Amino acid sequence: MNENSEGGPAGTGRGDTRRFTGQVVYITGAGSGIGRAASLLFAGEGAWVAAADCDEEAARKTAEQIAADGGRAFPLTVDVRVEDSVRNAIEKVVQRCGRLHVAFNNAGVTHKAPLEEHREEDWDRVIDTDLKGVWLAMKYEARHMLAAGGGVIINTASTYGLVGAPGVAAYVAAKHGVIGLTRAAAVEYGGRGIRVNAVCPSATRTAMLVLDGGMEAVWNERHPLGRIAEAGEIARAVLWLASQEAAFVTGTVLPVDGGYCAR
Ligand SMILES: NC(=O)c1ccc[n+]([C@@H]2O[C@H](COP(=O)([O-])OP(=O)(O)OC[C@H]3O[C@@H](n4cnc5c(N)ncnc54)[C@H](O)[C@@H]3O)[C@@H](O)[C@H]2O)c1
């Protein structure tokens, strides 16, 4: 493993012990929820954050918040479903920053409907965003990381990548696919300095999760810890996977689920 690609020794000297100082981190879905929380935490640990989202305004707000907190970031507009858009975004990161150390492929959408009522367009939107989007991202991230001698990739799957659930068939299929893709990439790139892991959140308080109409109590009850996750709790696991502390961790699927899958 290339030390620099992994976070290397903490900081750049002069007493900076932050875990990602000097590293460039590309994050999709950075405008909201888990991606936004991860963007703020990575920046707080010294990273230069490329905050990417299809929602231009949301990406800009995340980058502005990081700057207001004294960190370093810039917004990027990307549609993770579209190859040209993904290639352009990752090329911009490398052109601007000279390097890509960590990628957090996190953008996602869901669709709630019985399987027999999914329309083809619903299926395609979820699979294109949540599964194809992760493949496209890794395709261009890996090219840069291979040329540079290494890197770290974390993909957001879900507990629904590990178990089934009713009413979200395309999403469950996409997230199971993300886990397979993560393992394939980890095996393919392990000998060439790139670690690839997946994080599996369960219900997390973000725009994606419907909590009204008594649903928060229902979700709480499904978790042995008796509550849902906060976005920062998922993001902290992502930072650990990206860090040198996880130098021997690849091809791993990490549930951050309050015990959801232990039931
Ligand atoms: N919230 C949960 O309960 C939960 C549970 C398990 C997994 N996840 C996963 O976590 C990830 C982040 O979701 P979140 O909960 O933070 O939701 P969120 O809705 O708050 O954030 C998702 C972000 O992805 C962006 N996005 C959507 N489509 C995009 C596209 N085509 N190109 C670029 N950006 C796009 C959105 O604009 C948004 O900013 C997703 O992959 C989701 O499936 C969420």
Side-chain angles (χ1 to χ4, degrees):
M1 283 280 181
N2 176 330
E3 266 226 322
N4 288 333
S5 72
E6 291 290 318
T12 54
R14 290 197 286 277
D16 186 348
T17 56
R18 294 177 298 170
R19 287 183 289 173
F20 296 99
T21 297
Q23 294 202 36
V24 176
V25 181
Y26 172 71
I27 299 175
T28 67
S32 177
I34 294 166
R36 179 178 162 87
S39 299
L40 300 179
L41 287 174
F42 270 113
E45 289 279 354
W48 190 3
V49 173
D53 206 290
C54 63
D55 182 337
E56 192 175 347
E57 168 87 355
R60 191 176 53 72
K61 282 188 178 157
T62 296
E64 282 175 0
Q65 182 63 54
I66 289 171
D69 294 342
R72 200 172 186 202
F74 58 94
L76 275 175
T77 307
V78 69
D79 186 336
V80 299
R81 300 169 295 181
V82 179
E83 181 154 13
D84 279 352
S85 178
V86 173
R87 188 181 55 237
N88 285 339
I90 293 165
E91 275 174 5
K92 274 188 196 157
V93 175
V94 174
Q95 274 164 14
R96 182 163 177 164
C97 309
R99 186 70 168 85
L100 173 60
H101 298 92
V102 176
F104 179 32
N105 303 315
N106 163 77
V109 294
T110 189
H111 179 74
K112 291 189 179 59
L115 184 150
E116 74 277 10
E117 286 172 21
H118 275 53
R119 298 164 304 175
E120 191 174 3
E121 68 208 67
D122 304 324
W123 174 268
D124 287 345
R125 186 174 64 91
V126 173
I127 298 292
D128 284 357
T129 309
D130 295 6
L131 180 55
K132 181 182 165 191
V134 171
W135 164 64
L136 284 174
M138 289 204 291
K139 173 173 177 175
Y140 291 98
E141 291 156 2
R143 289 181 181 192
H144 291 291
M145 289 176 177
L146 288 170
V152 187
I153 297 172
I154 300 103
N155 299 320
T156 303
S158 167
T159 46
Y160 288 180
L162 295 165
V163 296
V168 279
Y171 186 78
V172 167
K175 295 301 188 179
H176 275 72
V178 169
I179 288 174
L181 195 53
T182 299
R183 290 181 174 137
V187 170
E188 191 161 336
Y189 297 133
R192 290 186 282 168
I194 305 177
R195 294 192 295 110
V196 189
N197 291 290
V199 66
C200 292
S202 58
T204 306
R205 192 184 310 280
T206 71
M208 184 180 278
L209 188 68
V210 177
L211 290 174
D212 49 14
M215 278 310 292
E216 182 159 358
V218 172
W219 280 115
N220 288 344
E221 206 275 322
R222 290 173 182 165
H223 291 74
L225 289 186
R227 64 175 179 85
I228 61 168
E230 302 299 329
E233 293 179 300
I234 310 303
R236 276 190 281 281
V238 172
L239 265 76
W240 178 76
L241 285 169
S243 77
Q244 182 63 19
E245 289 157 43
F248 200 55
V249 180
T250 199
T252 292
V253 175
L254 179 63
V256 185
D257 71 350
Y260 182 92
C261 288
R263 279 243 151 103

